[in-house]
Amino acid sequence: MKRGLLRRYIAIDMKRAFCSWKIIVSILGVCLVMGIASLETRIWQLSVLNSYYYVIYSMPFLLTLIFTTFAFGHCFCEDIEHAYIRFQVIRGSLRSYVISKVIVIALSAVFTMMMGMLLFVLVLRMNFPWIDLTEGTFETLSEYGAFRLFLKNGNYIVYYLFCGIQYGWLAAVLAVAAALFSLLYHDVLFVLSVPLIVWYLIQYYSDLLPQYEQLNPNAVYDISCNVWDHDWLSFAYAWGVSVLAIVLLGAAIYQMIKRQVI
């Protein structure tokens, strides 16, 4: 596989993903979903941290996965619809084509979740304080949660950026899973619903796994959990789990396209 060819694929896909109105709609969609979710509880008026904490555990928050997939997760549907996929594979390399798509799908999902969450936080900050020491959210997260160093030192913007990246890795895995299923059924609405279905099944069957936080997908990406009791080790673990899952899904995508196109 020629590196120059892979770089050209990635450059084209990055332009398609990040120089598009879809990425803007996706970021605004994540922010809007979180804003609507925050209206379901009266506790949101206390502080930015309190609102953020309760929003990410609400049912409406799962709808953000639709927007993180909308950013670029349905790219195979577009390529198949316009017969672009066959042209790209014949003129180039199937392996480079798939690797590029998987990388950009993952990056666009992480970026969309991170920026959507940050935008939501900044909007809240216009009216509410970062933290409220009269309630227990700050005490709990600074003691047991992820990225405690930033939270304790008052680096709130950095804290929310890393929280967004951590949830973004989850969104990336589910967006790549949606891309895989898009090869079976080329319908955009179906593709956008796949992350919700897959995450529900993961949560349902995770109870059958041994009761270790390191094996529980909910705990791996949960900012209220620190699965190795170390900020950076836990973050690296979430990153590693995500990369492994994305590589396996990418291999499945490669094999499926190989059978369909070649």
Side-chain angles (χ1 to χ4, degrees), residues 56-98:
I56 60 178
Y57 292 109
S58 66
M59 287 300 293
F61 178 72
L62 295 178
L63 297 178
T64 59
L65 298 174
I66 294 177
F67 290 99
T68 52
T69 302
F70 179 72
F72 199 60
H74 59 292
C75 58
F76 290 118
C77 290
E78 296 178 347
D79 287 1
I80 292 172
E81 180 182 354
H82 298 96
Y84 186 63
I85 185 171
R86 185 176 295 275
F87 172 79
Q88 283 286 294
V89 170
I90 293 175
R91 295 290 299 271
S93 164
L94 175 59
R95 184 173 299 178
S96 297
Y97 172 82
V98 172

Side-chain angles (χ1 to χ4, degrees), residues 173-192:
V173 173
L174 297 175
V176 176
L180 172 63
F181 280 93
S182 72
L183 298 172
L184 299 174
Y185 187 62
H186 317 314
D187 182 80
V188 174
L189 293 179
F190 168 73
V191 174
L192 295 179

Side-chain angles (χ1 to χ4, degrees), residues 43-134:
I43 305 178
W44 67 281
Q45 298 182 10
L46 292 176
S47 68
V48 174
L49 181 64
N50 208 55
S51 177
Y52 184 86
Y53 180 79
Y54 282 94
V55 163
I56 60 178
Y57 292 109
S58 66
M59 287 300 293
F61 178 72
L62 295 178
L63 297 178
T64 59
L65 298 174
I66 294 177
F67 290 99
T68 52
T69 302
F70 179 72
F72 199 60
H74 59 292
C75 58
F76 290 118
C77 290
E78 296 178 347
D79 287 1
I80 292 172
E81 180 182 354
H82 298 96
Y84 186 63
I85 185 171
R86 185 176 295 275
F87 172 79
Q88 283 286 294
V89 170
I90 293 175
R91 295 290 299 271
S93 164
L94 175 59
R95 184 173 299 178
S96 297
Y97 172 82
V98 172
I99 292 175
S100 173
K101 286 289 188 294
V102 169
I103 289 175
V104 177
I105 289 171
L107 290 178
S108 63
V110 173
F111 181 77
T112 300
M113 181 67 81
M114 178 185 69
M115 296 306 296
M117 282 186 163
L118 182 61
L119 181 60
F120 168 71
V121 164
L122 293 177
V123 170
L124 282 182
R125 183 63 184 91
M126 295 171 64
N127 297 291
F128 305 104
W130 285 117
I131 61 173
D132 183 355
L133 296 178
T134 62

Side-chain angles (χ1 to χ4, degrees), residues 151-238:
L151 195 58
K152 290 179 179 178
N153 291 340
N155 299 318
Y156 302 117
I157 294 293
V158 180
Y159 171 78
Y160 289 114
L161 279 173
F162 274 97
C163 289
I165 293 173
Q166 183 141 315
Y167 280 111
W169 277 117
L170 171 62
V173 173
L174 297 175
V176 176
L180 172 63
F181 280 93
S182 72
L183 298 172
L184 299 174
Y185 187 62
H186 317 314
D187 182 80
V188 174
L189 293 179
F190 168 73
V191 174
L192 295 179
S193 68
V194 167
L196 301 178
I197 299 171
V198 172
W199 183 237
Y200 172 79
L201 293 175
I202 290 174
Q203 289 184 308
Y204 182 80
Y205 287 105
S206 63
D207 293 335
L208 303 178
L209 298 173
Q211 297 303 306
Y212 297 102
E213 285 189 334
Q214 293 84 355
L215 299 178
N216 189 328
N218 291 303
V220 170
Y221 297 101
D222 192 347
I223 65 166
S224 65
C225 296
N226 203 314
V227 295
W228 295 106
D229 198 30
H230 187 283
D231 289 354
W232 296 117
L233 184 59
S234 298
F235 180 69
Y237 181 69

